[in-house]
Amino acid sequence: MSGTPRLVEVRKNILKQNDELARGLRRRFAEAGVFVVSLVSSPGTGKTALLEKLLGVMAERHRVAALVGDLATENDAARLARSGAPVRQIVTGTVCHLDASMVERALEGWDVGALDFLFVENVGNLVCPSSYDLGENLRMVLLSVTEGEDKPLKYPTIMRTSDIAVLTKMDLAAAVEFDCETMRRNIGEMPVFETSAKTGAGVRELAEFILSRR
Amino acid sequence: MSGTPRLVEVRKNILKQNDELARGLRRRFAEAGVFVVSLVSSPGTGKTALLEKLLGVMAERHRVAALVGDLATENDAARLARSGAPVRQIVTGTVCHLDASMVERALEGWDVGALDFLFVENVGNLVCPSSYDLGENLRMVLLSVTEGEDKPLKYPTIMRTSDIAVLTKMDLAAAVEFDCETMRRNIGEMPVFETSAKTGAGVRELAEFILSRR
């Protein structure tokens, strides 16, 4: 389409502005001593379910909070608030990803210095969030065993911008004949955690890893 | 961000151009007597697996073909080609959805008049494809039982632009304690089909419906 070159140029400016805002956020988080972890995945991979468990485990000894993004509904914030941790919902409308300005606005009036860990759950999307730095210290991409072992190959940009991979719904691995070896080979060189929010398997190991990275 | 209003304006132009191209495609399809069905869903919902079964069933008596979009890899085209139907892969690079110009380019040199049905499998994404008309006659949104019953509420734009909903992986319904009644209520007023590419359940009913709509 003839409009594409102009769109690319405008998009570059948007991304540049986002990068600047994200750098500012990262500085602010460092000064406040809060470690920020973002979660990206397809819709329905289980970001909220895993985060619910993680917040539960980590809140035992640390001050944790979460921001959660969705196009519509505040259901996820309500679910996560059951953990007792402070939670804020970001409703993006039709926007397919979080950006640094949304995170900044959502933090208004919050004393991030009172936190040890802040989790940021992105909109369910394996493509668009990859371009937007949110100022996080660690980005984890979640892949469920029900999605198939080929997803890391088909969504390479999100894999490249993530620091660790978390396999979810491991309790369903046998039912879907999940081939863990192929999945790990397709993921390549990054730490991989096998978890189940249903049984709780792997959640403490993941929490220990996050604690060790602060 | 200060760049946002300009982005919105450029995006409107892009969508307007896409709509014009899509209208042209729709006219061309009508003249050629081919009925076009598009598939949208999250990554890993099982678009390719369902399409493999559908092509198999429909190719018994009709001339069918498929276009399949992905950011990277030509794996899906290779899988679908096993059905014997002509298949072309559209590799989108970093673009998170198909648009009408990609469909038009992919059809170059193809005699669509020799087809009864053309399937177009979009990139796995529940957000971005909703804005792009591809000139299709029927858009089906796929939702797997493993993704949770809340997805229609959280991704309202894709639901509004779809004509029918197809539930996939019904063979896993019991294992994930899928609540079909809640899902159907959340989907609202559109035809819903319950399918399993693994067992083949529901595939013939879906094929019959598509045949009846031509």
Side-chain angles (χ1 to χ4, degrees):
Chain A
M1 283 182 285
S2 62
T4 304
R6 204 173 142 219
L7 183 68
V8 170
E9 184 207 321
V10 173
R11 191 165 178 272
K12 267 189 198 158
N13 288 341
I14 294 280
L15 289 178
K16 207 174 134 196
Q17 285 179 41
N18 185 76
D19 281 350
E20 278 168 27
L21 273 179
R23 268 199 296 279
L25 279 176
R26 192 168 280 114
R27 210 161 36 232
R28 184 174 155 196
F29 293 145
E31 284 165 9
V34 58
F35 189 83
V36 181
V37 181
S38 74
L39 293 84
V40 291
S41 83
S42 294
T45 301
K47 292 181 292 304
T48 312
L50 182 75
L51 195 45
E52 216 176 329
K53 293 283 176 178
L54 260 183
L55 290 176
V57 167
M58 294 181 67
E60 291 167 9
R61 299 199 191 178
H62 304 276
R63 298 167 300 171
V64 294
L67 300 178
V68 48
D70 270 307
L71 299 197
T73 84
E74 305 218 336
N75 299 351
D76 286 358
R79 277 172 69 188
L80 292 175
R82 294 194 302 234
S83 68
V87 179
R88 285 191 181 179
Q89 179 89 41
I90 304 174
V91 177
T92 67
T94 58
V95 180
C96 51
H97 58 269
L98 292 182
D99 65 32
S101 72
M102 294 179 197
V103 172
E104 190 170 68
R105 273 198 304 278
L107 291 175
E108 267 170 28
W110 247 13
D111 177 15
V112 288
L115 295 175
D116 299 316
F117 294 93
L118 173 66
F119 290 89
V120 182
E121 180 185 330
N122 217 312
V123 174
N125 190 325
L126 266 190
V127 190
C128 313
S130 56
S131 310
Y132 292 84
D133 184 357
L134 305 179
E136 68 268 64
N137 303 103
L138 184 82
R139 181 178 287 193
M140 48 193 207
V141 58
L142 277 62
L143 301 157
S144 83
V145 301
T146 61
E147 290 165 19
E149 299 82 1
D150 59 343
K151 292 302 155 296
L153 304 178
K154 292 172 78 173
Y155 300 87
T157 42
I158 202 91
M159 300 306 295
R160 273 199 297 276
T161 64
S162 296
D163 303 296
I164 66 171
V166 179
L167 306 182
T168 63
K169 309 188 190 182
M170 284 301 293
D171 54 291
L172 294 173
V176 298
E177 296 163 48
F178 177 63
D179 179 350
C180 200
E181 204 175 311
T182 299
M183 179 60 117
R184 282 176 171 271
R185 194 168 55 243
N186 290 344
I187 289 171
E189 292 297 315
M190 70 167 84
V192 178
F193 295 84
E194 301 180 12
T195 68
S196 163
K198 193 172 182 181
T199 67
V203 175
R204 280 196 183 270
E205 290 79 350
L206 179 58
E208 288 303 325
F209 177 84
I210 293 169
L211 291 171
S212 76
R213 291 293 294 269
R214 191 180 169 211
Chain B
M1 281 184 286
S2 61
T4 304
R6 205 173 140 218
L7 184 69
V8 169
E9 185 206 323
V10 174
R11 191 164 179 271
K12 267 189 196 157
N13 289 340
I14 294 279
L15 289 178
K16 206 173 136 197
Q17 285 178 42
N18 185 75
D19 281 350
E20 278 168 27
L21 273 178
R23 267 198 298 278
L25 280 175
R26 191 167 282 115
R27 211 161 36 230
R28 184 174 155 197
F29 294 144
E31 283 164 10
V34 57
F35 189 82
V36 181
V37 181
S38 74
L39 292 83
V40 293
S41 83
S42 293
T45 301
K47 290 181 292 305
T48 313
L50 183 76
L51 195 45
E52 217 176 329
K53 294 284 176 177
L54 260 183
L55 290 176
V57 167
M58 294 181 68
E60 291 168 8
R61 299 198 189 181
H62 303 275
R63 299 167 301 173
V64 294
L67 299 178
V68 48
D70 269 309
L71 298 197
T73 85
E74 304 217 338
N75 299 352
D76 286 357
R79 278 172 69 188
L80 292 175
R82 294 194 302 233
S83 68
V87 179
R88 286 192 178 175
Q89 180 88 41
I90 303 174
V91 178
T92 66
T94 56
V95 180
C96 50
H97 58 269
L98 293 182
D99 66 32
S101 72
M102 297 179 195
V103 172
E104 191 170 68
R105 272 197 306 277
L107 291 176
E108 267 170 28
W110 247 14
D111 177 14
V112 287
L115 294 174
D116 299 315
F117 294 93
L118 173 67
F119 290 89
V120 182
E121 180 185 330
N122 218 312
V123 174
N125 190 325
L126 266 191
V127 189
C128 313
S130 56
S131 310
Y132 292 84
D133 185 357
L134 305 179
E136 69 269 64
N137 302 104
L138 183 81
R139 181 176 288 192
M140 48 192 207
V141 58
L142 278 61
L143 302 158
S144 83
V145 301
T146 61
E147 291 165 19
E149 299 82 1
D150 58 343
K151 293 300 156 295
L153 304 179
K154 292 172 77 172
Y155 299 88
T157 42
I158 202 90
M159 301 305 295
R160 272 199 299 275
T161 64
S162 297
D163 303 297
I164 67 171
V166 179
L167 306 182
T168 64
K169 310 190 188 179
M170 284 300 293
D171 54 289
L172 294 173
V176 299
E177 296 164 48
F178 177 63
D179 180 350
C180 199
E181 204 176 311
T182 299
M183 179 59 118
R184 283 177 171 270
R185 195 168 53 240
N186 290 344
I187 289 171
E189 293 296 315
M190 69 167 85
V192 178
F193 294 84
E194 302 180 13
T195 69
S196 163
K198 192 170 183 182
T199 67
V203 174
R204 278 195 184 271
E205 289 80 350
L206 179 58
E208 288 302 325
F209 177 83
I210 293 168
L211 290 172
S212 76
R213 290 293 293 269
R214 192 178 169 213

